[in-house]
């Protein structure tokens, strides 16, 4: 120890121990009263106390949920908007399309910028944009103004999920990365399902414009929380590493990775299958099966439980067996559970023939989401923001294109379980083919500790 250089003040940990700079392996040794027995910390977050990790999960989860809530919270207000603006359902639907486009494009911008400038600056600026756009949407005088503000709201909400996942990758790696990303995947999977339910509750106590006020307040809370509790996690040296200093170089490094491209397709197809259910479920269960609003809300809640079960189980299995092998199970299950919905409909098994396999399908989506993120981000720590932005933009962009196929397959007739599940099965087949022919699980190394 006497030959070691004196530590800089920035190398003193919160517990008072000395942290020696990273050696070539990337590990950090935290030196306490007995350096010989001090643990080696492979990633900055490994030495983080439990309360701090819980705080990060809560804040980063809330940031991740901002995007899905921005997109889906106002879905129950569509009939009211149609009447207030004296327009068609298709025109109202365009405001949702605009939000999704803004969200996808915003991620493609914010992700690379967060790798170049650090995490905090893009997060604060874009979240501020979300606040302003939400307030403007609450006072939009016509449908065109609402559409413009919705595009800006989508772009402003983009920072949350991208930066949250990138911060987790900055701080964690290996098996702990699986656990942390599974928490974010839980939020990103459940939020689109819960948002319409929360929106319907809000409409019982406020006009539709109040929903956008709520979203503006949500953004303010996130902005203040980020200012106070979220430090910069991307060291300046990593922003300037050779071969990844420009946006183009970061995109090229990510897309040149075969495994990343494969899991990108798997994630996009799984999310598209989920969105096919979200876009069709209100018509299917309320018109075809005669559900009232309360029964429909209970269905949403039950499927949310399925997502929770899938995500939490997947995090444990992925840490033990590897995320690629969890995906081997989940992609096959996507096809089988979707096919079970079709079989139940063709055999006229009624609502239970649809609800039970649908619950299993949603549970399977929960298995898939965290494994996609882990395989993508664990391999691209130096471009985590870029990688996550591509995942998010692909998920929402592809889902926005594919989910309307449910209505197209109906040819003007009421949406049936078969038409909905046909799209879900197609998405599952593409995901499975991508796993076995592009990712190739046997070629993927096991996660480091």
């Amino acid at each position: 120890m006497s030959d070691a250089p004196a530590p800089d003040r920035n190398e003193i940990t919160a517990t008072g121990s000395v942290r020696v700079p990273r050696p070539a392996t990337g590990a950090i040794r935290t030196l306490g009263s007995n350096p010989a027995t001090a643990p080696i910390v492979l990633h900055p977050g490994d030495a983080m106390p439990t309360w701090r990790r819980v705080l990060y999960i809560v804040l980063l989860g809330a940031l991740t949920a901002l995007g899905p809530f921005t997109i889906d919270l106002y879905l129950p207000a569509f009939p009211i908007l149609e009447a207030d603006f004296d327009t068609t359902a298709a025109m109202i639907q365009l405001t949702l399309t605009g939000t999704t486009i803004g969200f996808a494009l915003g991620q493609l911008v914010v992700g690379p910028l967060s790798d170049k400038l650090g995490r905090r600056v893009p997060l604060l600026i874009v979240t501020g944009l979300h606040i302003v756009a939400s307030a403007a949407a609450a006072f939009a005088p016509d449908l065109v103004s609402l559409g413009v503000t919705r595009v800006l709201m989508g772009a402003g909400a983009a920072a949350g999920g991208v930066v949250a996942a990138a911060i987790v990758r900055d701080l964690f790696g290996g098996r702990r990365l699986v656990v942390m990303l599974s928490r974010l995947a839980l939020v990103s999977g459940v939020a689109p399902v819960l948002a319409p339910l929360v929106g319907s509750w809000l409409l019982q106590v406020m006009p539709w414009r109040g929903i956008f006020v709520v979203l503006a307040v949500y953004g303010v809370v996130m902005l203040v929380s980020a200012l106070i509790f979220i430090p910069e996690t991307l060291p300046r040296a990593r922003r300037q590493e050779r071969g990844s200093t420009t946006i183009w170089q970061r995109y090229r490094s990510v897309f040149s990775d075969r495994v990343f491209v494969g899991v990108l397709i798997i994630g996009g197809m799984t999310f598209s299958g989920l969105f096919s259910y979200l876009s069709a479920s209100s018509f299917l269960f309320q018109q075809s099966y005669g559900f009232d609003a309360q029964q429909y809300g209970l269905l949403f809640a039950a499927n949310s439980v399925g997502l929770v079960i899938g995500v939490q189980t997947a995090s444990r299995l992925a840490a033990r067996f590897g995320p690629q092998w969890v995906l081997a199970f989940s992609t096959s299950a996507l096809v089988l559970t979707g096919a079970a919905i079709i079989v139940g409909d063709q055999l006229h098994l009624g609502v239970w023939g649809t609800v039970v396999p649908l619950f299993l399908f949603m549970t399977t989506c929960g298995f898939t989401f965290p494994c996609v993120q882990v395989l993508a981000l664990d391999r691209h720590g130096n471009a985590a923001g870029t990688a996550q932005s591509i995942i998010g933009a692909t998920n929402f962009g592809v889902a926005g294109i594919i989910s309307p196929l449910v209505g197209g397959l109906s040819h003007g007739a009421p949406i049936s379980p078969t038409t909905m599940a046909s799209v879900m099965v197609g998405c599952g087949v593409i995901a499975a083919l991508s796993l076995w022919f592009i990712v190739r699980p046997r070629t993927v190394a096991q996660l480091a500790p």
Side-chain angles (χ1 to χ4, degrees):
M1 285 292 295
S2 59
D3 296 332
D8 184 88
R9 287 185 61 87
N10 292 330
E11 299 296 306
I12 305 298
T13 68
T15 60
S17 59
V18 179
R19 185 163 56 196
V20 176
R22 289 176 183 264
T25 61
I28 303 174
R29 184 180 289 277
T30 302
L31 305 181
S33 57
N34 187 357
T37 61
I40 292 180
V41 180
L42 296 175
H43 308 283
D46 292 348
M48 189 179 292
T50 301
W51 70 267
R52 186 73 179 178
R53 285 202 297 270
V54 172
L55 178 63
Y56 268 85
I57 290 172
V58 172
L59 292 181
L60 298 180
L63 278 170
T64 301
L66 180 61
F69 269 84
T70 295
I71 293 172
D72 296 334
L73 194 64
Y74 82 133
L75 293 183
F78 272 17
I80 303 173
L81 289 168
E82 183 180 354
D84 280 5
F85 288 118
D86 190 23
T87 185
T88 64
M91 293 301 295
I92 299 297
Q93 185 73 24
L94 284 177
T95 66
L96 177 62
T97 302
T99 311
T100 306
I101 292 173
F103 189 69
L105 294 178
Q107 290 185 84
L108 293 176
V109 174
V110 171
L113 286 179
S114 72
D115 288 332
K116 181 68 176 177
L117 304 176
R119 310 305 184 197
R120 276 173 59 88
V121 172
L123 173 63
L124 298 177
I125 292 176
V126 180
T127 304
L129 172 64
H130 176 272
I131 297 169
V132 174
S134 298
F139 297 97
D142 52 52
L143 188 60
V144 173
S145 301
L146 179 64
V148 172
T149 57
R150 288 295 292 168
V151 173
L152 295 176
M153 285 177 68
V162 171
V163 175
I167 288 174
V168 169
R169 183 60 187 90
D170 291 340
L171 297 175
F172 302 98
R175 295 176 181 175
R176 185 159 281 166
L177 176 65
V178 176
V179 175
M180 295 297 290
L181 285 180
S182 71
R183 304 297 187 263
L184 297 188
L186 175 61
V187 173
S188 61
V190 172
V193 179
L194 289 182
L197 181 60
V198 175
S200 64
W201 290 342
L202 291 175
L203 285 174
Q204 296 178 15
V205 298
M206 62 180 63
W208 66 264
R209 295 181 185 274
I211 290 178
F212 297 115
V213 174
V214 170
L215 286 170
V217 173
Y218 189 166
V220 170
V221 172
M222 289 297 93
L223 183 64
V224 173
S225 298
L227 281 168
I228 298 174
F229 298 111
I230 300 180
E232 179 57 63
T233 59
L234 184 65
R236 187 175 299 276
R238 284 180 54 193
R239 306 175 208 172
Q240 301 171 346
E241 289 186 355
R242 185 176 180 181
S244 60
T245 56
T246 67
I247 291 177
W248 166 247
Q249 287 174 327
R250 294 182 194 278
Y251 274 121
R252 185 173 60 182
S253 69
V254 170
F255 277 113
S256 62
D257 177 11
R258 166 182 55 81
V259 174
F260 177 86
V261 172
V263 297
L264 181 68
I265 295 172
I266 295 171
M269 289 299 103
T270 304
F271 206 78
S272 296
L274 171 63
F275 250 65
S276 297
Y277 152 67
L278 291 177
S279 64
S281 60
S282 61
F283 300 102
L284 174 62
F285 288 101
Q286 294 189 69
Q287 294 180 359
S288 299
Y289 288 129
F291 279 33
D292 58 27
Q294 288 73 28
Q295 292 170 328
Y296 183 56
L298 287 175
L299 177 68
F300 263 92
N303 286 327
S304 300
V305 172
L307 274 170
V308 171
I309 293 172
V311 168
Q312 297 309 305
T313 306
S315 66
R316 296 177 181 274
L317 294 177
R320 181 174 181 180
F321 300 106
Q324 67 273 30
W325 297 114
V326 177
L327 288 176
F329 159 77
S330 66
T331 52
S332 299
L334 287 173
V335 178
L336 293 176
T337 53
I341 296 175
I342 298 175
V343 172
D345 184 37
Q346 296 304 310
L347 295 178
H348 306 291
L349 298 182
V351 65
W352 289 107
T354 299
V355 169
V356 172
L358 179 60
F359 176 85
L360 297 176
F361 181 89
M362 298 294 286
T363 304
T364 303
C365 289
F367 273 90
T368 306
F369 291 138
C371 296
V372 166
Q373 281 193 305
V374 168
L375 283 178
L377 299 186
D378 189 57
R379 301 168 65 88
H380 296 283
N382 293 337
T386 301
Q388 180 60 32
S389 71
I390 295 170
I391 293 173
T394 300
N395 285 351
F396 282 92
V398 174
I401 295 171
I402 291 179
S403 58
L405 291 177
V406 177
L409 291 174
S410 300
H411 301 293
I415 290 176
S416 69
T418 296
T419 53
M420 178 184 73
S422 296
V423 177
M424 295 159 63
V425 169
C427 291
V429 169
I430 296 174
L433 292 174
S434 177
L435 176 72
W436 292 106
F437 290 98
I438 300 179
V439 176
R440 302 202 295 271
R442 293 182 179 84
T443 68
V444 179
Q446 291 293 101
L447 290 174

